[in-house]
Amino acid sequence: MPVMSRQAAPILALTVAVSLIAHFVGRGPLSVALTAAITLSALFLPPEVLLTAAIVTGSGLGFTALQAPLVGQLLLSDLLLLACLGCLLQRRAGEAKRDRFLAVCLALFVGWSLLATLLAGTSATPLLRIAVYGAVFLLLARHRTNRRSVYTIVVCYALVNIVGGVIEDQTRLVGLYIGDPAQTGGLLLAALCPLLTSEVRTPCPRLVGAVLLCGIFLTQTRSVWFATVVVLVIWAQKKVTLRRFLVVFTTLALLGLTTVSWVTSMFGLNSASGDYRWQTIEAGLRRGFASPLFGSGWGYASSGRDHSVPSYLYQAVDYVLPYNLFVCVFASAGVPAVLLLALFMCRLFHRLVAKRGAPLLFTAAVLAMSLTEMTLYAGSMLTLLFFTYAGLGLGPSDAPMPSDRPTTAGGGPSRASAEGPAAHAGVVPEGSPTGAVCGTARGSDLTRRC
């Protein structure tokens, strides 16, 4: 059993104290007992288990105890994340260099958004949850973790939701108690990415990949379909640089926007949803230009509904989240928040492109969905998956580098020995002297026969 470090002790003690206070003001003994048990589990369970448990419980499993707050505003997933933070703080940092620019951009983004939220008088609780997601990201980027176990649980959970949705004969695949086809599609993409890059091993990988692609199609969500195309095109590239990634992404985005009507009519999708999305984006821009420096506060963007507004007004687009990440951030926290978020994303892609693993593919998928969805909000499984995968991608590799592996006749890394993002680190920035002997990431388990 690991010994509790001085950094982890205050977090764990604070969680226990909050649960005790909530108990004395009216919460039942079961609540405080469960809170204490989850808190103490940081001493025994690996952070990978706690993190994936937070992802699963965050989307709900159909039990009231997993969906309703346990302690004040804390959910079960929040407690699991706090326990995960405490566990990660007990670990010694790995060999990965700390990216101060990335951390500063994220901290300033959250800090400015919090300032805008306080000035607007909206609830800061959603933003605080996102701050916890960001803290998990920063710690994962510094500590060696068993990313394969995370990927394996995500794949299993995705398959369970596909099978459950098919058994329930869902018209659109919304998963088991997830209730949102976009969130379910994000989960399926998170399962598909490590399968493409051979970072997770499954029996009959081609069959598993086909099931995941079928599930993505059954979501009948254009943003998920578009993100899948982006993932597959980037994965198929023999060489990926930041410049090429931006060119490919921009080209696909323009093609996607011009083919929306064709895709809608081809598959009989809701033709009004496209116009509705544009209306919400226009409403978000109007709201942002009304207060371009601080916006309307993050509670406007994260909580979804303002309970002071009559329910009959919820149909108006002014009270609906803009279906675009950057427009929604502009409306909620102003221009500085948009610039900080853009800098954070650019730096993140610059780091992930060099490794070319599942985190790069999934981050590209989230960015693709962000063009027509709001992908950054509290309680979102997609948001937590994004920070988790990005942190895993920046963290120290749990597999040897390609130079330590046997090579093929072509000089590239052996496909059979691929075990993590480092297996596909053959992609290097343009101009590198080692670029001529890079391997390819197309050697996936999906190319095998069952």
Side-chain angles (χ1 to χ4, degrees):
M1 181 181 70
V3 179
M4 187 184 304
S5 65
R6 293 182 179 179
Q7 294 88 348
I11 294 180
L12 301 180
L14 179 61
T15 306
V16 175
V18 169
S19 66
L20 290 174
I21 293 173
H23 170 64
F24 285 115
V25 298
R27 295 288 178 179
L30 179 60
S31 173
V32 64
L34 184 58
T35 304
I38 295 173
T39 303
L40 294 176
S41 66
L43 301 174
F44 302 94
L45 297 178
E48 296 85 1
V49 174
L50 297 169
L51 185 56
T52 50
I55 293 172
V56 171
T57 58
S59 62
L61 290 176
F63 305 109
T64 304
L66 301 184
Q67 298 176 351
L70 293 179
V71 181
Q73 293 296 320
L74 292 177
L75 303 173
L76 178 58
S77 57
D78 300 331
L79 299 177
L80 289 168
L81 285 177
L82 289 176
C84 177
L85 286 175
C87 190
L88 286 173
L89 285 172
Q90 297 178 56
R91 290 189 172 184
R92 182 177 300 177
E95 297 84 2
K97 294 182 179 180
R98 181 178 301 175
D99 193 325
R100 296 186 182 277
F101 181 80
L102 196 66
V104 168
C105 286
L106 181 59
L108 289 178
F109 168 73
V110 175
W112 183 268
S113 301
L114 181 60
L115 176 61
T117 299
L118 295 176
L119 291 176
T122 55
S123 173
T125 301
L127 186 60
L128 294 178
R129 283 198 173 95
I130 295 177
V132 174
Y133 302 162
V136 171
F137 159 77
L138 294 176
L139 288 178
L140 289 175
R142 287 286 293 161
H143 295 78
R144 185 182 299 276
T145 52
N146 185 1
R147 64 192 69 179
R148 181 177 295 178
S149 64
V150 176
Y151 296 149
T152 301
I153 295 176
V154 170
V155 170
C156 293
Y157 187 48
L159 294 176
V160 167
N161 279 276
I162 293 176
V163 174
V166 171
I167 292 176
E168 293 182 355
D169 194 23
Q170 298 174 352
T171 304
R172 294 181 67 182
L173 184 66
V174 295
L176 295 177
Y177 303 104
I178 296 176
D180 183 355
Q183 290 283 312
T184 303
L187 172 65
L188 302 185
L189 283 169
L192 180 64
C193 290
L195 197 66
L196 289 173
T197 57
S198 301
E199 294 176 65
V200 65
R201 302 293 185 181
T202 63
C204 297
R206 294 179 66 180
L207 177 60
V208 175
V211 171
L212 291 174
L213 288 174
C214 288
I216 289 172
F217 177 77
L218 292 176
T219 61
Q220 299 184 31
T221 305
R222 281 159 294 192
S223 61
V224 177
W225 291 359
F226 172 65
T228 304
V229 173
V230 171
V231 166
L232 293 176
V233 171
I234 293 177
W235 167 75
Q237 300 296 309
K238 293 183 178 180
K239 183 179 181 181
V240 178
T241 62
L242 182 60
R243 182 185 304 173
R244 176 174 293 188
F245 169 81
L246 293 176
V247 171
V248 170
F249 185 88
T250 303
T251 303
L252 291 176
L254 293 176
L255 289 175
L257 291 175
T258 57
T259 58
V260 169
S261 299
W262 178 82
V263 172
T264 301
S265 60
M266 180 70 178
F267 296 97
L269 303 178
N270 183 5
S271 59
S273 63
D275 295 334
Y276 183 71
R277 276 170 161 76
W278 283 115
Q279 291 173 13
T280 62
I281 291 174
E282 292 175 357
L285 290 174
R286 290 195 300 268
R287 197 178 187 108
F289 283 120
S291 180
L293 187 60
F294 293 105
S296 303
W298 195 268
Y300 152 76
S302 298
S303 59
R305 288 188 174 184
D306 183 353
H307 295 286
S308 64
V309 178
S311 59
Y312 65 85
L313 290 179
Y314 288 148
Q315 300 300 321
V317 294
D318 287 336
Y319 294 99
V320 178
L321 302 182
Y323 281 88
N324 180 282
L325 169 63
F326 294 96
V327 172
C328 200
V329 171
F330 173 54
S332 59
V335 174
V338 175
L339 295 178
L340 290 169
L341 179 61
L343 289 174
F344 171 77
M345 296 296 292
C346 289
R347 181 64 175 180
L348 179 61
F349 275 111
H350 177 74
R351 292 285 307 276
L352 293 178
V353 159
K355 296 188 176 183
R356 193 178 181 177
L360 170 64
L361 297 181
F362 186 66
T363 303
V366 174
L367 182 61
M369 292 182 64
S370 299
L371 298 179
T372 54
E373 302 281 353
M374 171 54 180
T375 54
L376 183 62
Y377 60 91
S380 166
M381 179 174 55
L382 181 64
T383 302
L384 183 53
L385 281 169
F386 161 70
F387 280 112
T388 299
Y389 272 51
L392 293 175
L394 298 182
S397 176
D398 52 3
M401 296 300 292
S403 58
D404 299 331
R405 305 168 186 234
T407 58
T408 62
S414 172
R415 296 180 180 180
S417 62
E419 296 180 359
H424 308 291
V427 180
V428 296
E430 291 180 346
S432 172
T434 61
V437 295
C438 290
T440 175
R442 301 180 73 171
S444 167
D445 278 352
L446 294 180
T447 60
R448 299 183 186 176
R449 296 185 181 273
C450 295

